[in-house]
């Protein structure tokens, strides 16, 4: 899974040295609007953007120390913090920087997949049938996990399926090497530094042997793709062998995911949300994860079930947010507290939507009634940068020109749409960019 992080500082440097014309020349097409904030479980953002890396951005953060100098300094610090010397040396034996990790860290994909293509992959018939088979094979474990944590088994199996393809794709990087490379020379050395110390603590605890501590290039580990700090705070030994083995024990992995969702305020017995239909003149400015209303309030505003009837949930007192993943021309979803718990696992609305829908597909539900606007290709990164720059030029502050469509950019887009009398969905469409190009 690709990793998204805040890149504003980096982007600032990039734009200072490269003209927009150069950026534009490299581009053309697509992407998707998604959350980019940091996720507590892993360095975020999977899926939505399994993208096509094109341009290689400039050098990562300049470092003054050689790797060996950095390692000696880090060794002292690790030992001071309680890591055993022999363990440190064993973990770091033959560790040298990995250029592939640095390339992955500095890659900023120009093209990302539209949400409907991402969902097609996430909800493939192969994945659904494998999930259904695994639900049967692990039924007794899942029953015990549901009893212990109150988290629905279908959601857990969906997370298992999207994080590591049910344990078959956990990443094959030695986590200590990957994190050491990033702590020495990555874009976010402080983050990698903390993760590396946590990874050494895991080894010292004896949960896994160094040689078996494998994960993604960014250090997300095992069947749940937990980063080391999340592992230390939330992984559990569910199969009772005194090791928290999220690599080799599916019971430990599923139990750990359930534990994480439970502490992320999972509401037992509640759904994640549902597709809805909206009245013709709906106020699309309300469709934002930050806007929360009760079911009664949404109903009064013209939100209906996808089939057109009244909305009902098991707990009608919950507040919900309305999401339009592809803008007002695409499907609409009302999302509840459990959707927010999934976002804490991985802060991407596309990911959380895929988890909710995959869990339903396993049970023969979860088809989306409305159509996606497939002719409306999402903006490429260079186009998002242009959109933000143009918004700023005409007086709608996007909160920074970084190619990331966050809350400030959505609000700026909405204000621009309102000024033009357009549906204020805050969605960065091509037609809106076209309008900005001609707007004075
Ligand atoms: Ca165990």
């Amino acid at each position: 899974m690709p990793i998204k992080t805040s890149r504003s500082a980096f982007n600032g440097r990039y734009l200072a040295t490269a003209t927009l014309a150069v950026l534009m020349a490299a581009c053309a097409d697509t992407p998707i609007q998604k959350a980019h904030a940091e996720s507590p479980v892993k360095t975020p953002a999977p899926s939505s953007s399994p993208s096509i890396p094109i341009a290689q951005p400039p050098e990562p953060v300049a470092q003054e120390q050689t790797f060996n100098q950095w390692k000696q300094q880090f060794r002292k610090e690790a030992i001071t913090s309680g890591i055993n010397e022999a363990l440190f040396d064993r973990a770091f034996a033959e560790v040298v920087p990995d250029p592939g990790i640095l390339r992955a860290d500095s890659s900023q994909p120009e093209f990302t997949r539209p949400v409907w293509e991402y969902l097609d992959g996430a909800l493939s018939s192969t994945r659904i049938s494998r999930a259904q088979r695994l639900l049967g094979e692990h039924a007794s474990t899942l029953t015990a996990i549901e009893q212990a944590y109150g988290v629905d088994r279908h959601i857990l199996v969906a997370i298992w399926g999207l994080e590591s393809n049910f344990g078959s794709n956990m990443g094959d990087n030695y986590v200590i090497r990957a994190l050491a490379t990033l702590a020495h020379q990555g874009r976010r050395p402080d983050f990698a530094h903390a993760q590396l110390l946590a990874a050494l603590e895991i080894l010292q605890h004896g949960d896994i042997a160094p040689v078996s501590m494998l994960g993604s290039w960014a250090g997300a580990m095992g069947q749940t793709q937990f980063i080391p700090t999340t592992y230390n705070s939330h992984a559990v030994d569910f199969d009772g062998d005194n090791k928290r083995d999220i690599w080799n024990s599916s019971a430990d992995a599923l139990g750990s995911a359930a534990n994480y969702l439970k502490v992320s305020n999972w509401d037992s017995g509640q759904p994640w949300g549902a597709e809805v239909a909206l009245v013709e003149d709906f106020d699309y400015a309300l469709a934002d994860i930050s806007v929360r209303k009760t079911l009664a309030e949404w109903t009064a505003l013209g939100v209906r079930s996808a089939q057109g009837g009244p909305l009902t949930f098991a707990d009608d007192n919950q507040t919900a947010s309305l999401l339009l993943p592809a803008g007002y021309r695409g499907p609409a979803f009302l999302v509840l507290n459990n959707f927010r718990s999934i976002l804490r696992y991985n802060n991407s609305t596309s990911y959380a939507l895929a988890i909710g829908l995959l869990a339903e597909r396993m049970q023969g539900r979860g088809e989306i009634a409305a159509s996606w606007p497939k002719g409306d290709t999402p903006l490429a990164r260079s186009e998002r940068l242009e959109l933000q720059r143009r918004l700023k030029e005409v007086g709608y502050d996007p909160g920074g020109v970084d190619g990331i469509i966050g809350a400030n950019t959505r609000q700026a887009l909405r204000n621009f749409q309102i000024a033009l009398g357009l549906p204020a969905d805050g969605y960065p469409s091509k037609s809106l960019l076209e309008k900005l190009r001609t707007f004075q």
Side-chain angles (χ1 to χ4, degrees), residues 81 123 138 141 145 159 195 261 277-278 290 339 341 407 417 435:
S81 76
L123 309 175
H138 296 269
T141 301
I145 291 173
I159 287 175
Q195 296 306 322
L261 287 177
L278 307 176
S290 65
F339 189 88
S341 301
Q417 289 171 318
K435 286 197 168 55

Side-chain angles (χ1 to χ4, degrees), residues 237-245 249 252:
D237 166 30
F238 200 79
D239 64 11
D241 69 350
N242 292 321
K243 290 184 178 175
R244 302 185 293 171
D245 187 351
S249 164
D252 286 5

Side-chain angles (χ1 to χ4, degrees), residues 235-307:
V236 298
D237 166 30
F238 200 79
D239 64 11
D241 69 350
N242 292 321
K243 290 184 178 175
R244 302 185 293 171
D245 187 351
I246 58 172
W247 294 266
N248 302 299
S249 164
S250 51
D252 286 5
L254 291 163
S256 297
N259 183 44
Y260 190 82
L261 287 177
K262 185 188 178 195
V263 302
S264 302
N265 304 316
W266 185 265
D267 282 335
S268 192
Q270 296 296 320
W272 59 272
E275 187 187 358
V276 293
L278 307 176
V279 290
E280 195 77 18
D281 58 348
F282 189 80
D283 178 6
Y284 296 107
L286 298 172
D288 195 277
I289 192 78
S290 65
V291 176
R292 299 182 189 216
K293 294 182 181 300
T294 65
L295 211 54
E297 288 171 322
W298 285 121
T299 301
L301 288 163
V303 180
R304 303 284 179 263
S305 78
Q307 293 71 36

Side-chain angles (χ1 to χ4, degrees), residues 15-211:
L15 286 172
T17 54
T19 67
L20 203 59
V22 170
L23 285 169
M24 289 302 294
C27 85
D29 213 341
T30 54
I32 180 178
Q33 177 178 338
K34 59 193 298 284
H36 288 274
E38 203 60 53
S39 154
V41 170
K42 46 185 290 186
T43 357
S47 40
S48 311
S49 342
S51 322
I52 310 157
I54 294 191
Q56 283 300 321
E59 294 300 306
V61 179
Q63 93 293 349
E64 294 172 358
Q65 290 178 310
T66 66
F67 183 77
N68 277 333
Q69 287 168 337
W70 167 85
K71 188 175 96 173
Q72 288 314 314
Q73 186 179 320
F74 179 72
R75 184 178 185 275
K76 283 184 196 146
E77 182 192 335
I79 290 164
T80 302
S81 76
I83 298 298
N84 175 284
E85 282 187 51
L87 174 97
F88 184 98
D89 294 337
R90 198 162 69 248
F92 269 82
E94 297 174 41
V95 165
V96 293
D98 184 340
I101 300 280
L102 289 177
R103 276 197 298 277
D105 186 42
S106 62
S107 151
Q108 298 203 77
E110 173 67 2
F111 304 112
T112 52
R113 288 198 288 178
V115 61
W116 51 89
E117 285 183 16
Y118 166 63
L119 289 175
D120 281 349
L123 309 175
S124 70
S125 56
T126 309
R127 199 186 313 270
I128 293 165
S129 52
R130 192 168 172 197
Q132 288 168 329
R133 181 167 56 77
L134 290 166
L135 278 167
E137 288 176 12
H138 296 269
S140 59
T141 301
L142 288 163
T143 298
I145 291 173
E146 279 184 342
Q147 286 168 353
Y149 300 102
V151 180
D152 171 41
R153 68 185 63 204
H154 305 94
I155 292 288
L156 296 173
V157 171
I159 287 175
W160 195 20
L162 290 192
E163 290 297 336
S164 65
N165 203 15
F166 311 104
S168 60
N169 183 16
M170 297 185 275
D172 56 4
N173 298 285
Y174 176 37
V175 168
I176 298 296
R177 183 187 186 195
L179 290 173
T181 301
L182 295 171
H184 170 235
Q185 213 181 354
R187 285 182 305 104
R188 297 186 306 149
D190 294 345
F191 176 80
H193 186 105
Q195 296 306 322
L196 184 55
L197 274 178
L200 290 168
E201 288 167 17
I202 295 166
L203 292 177
Q204 182 146 306
H205 190 258
D207 286 304
I208 188 84
V211 69

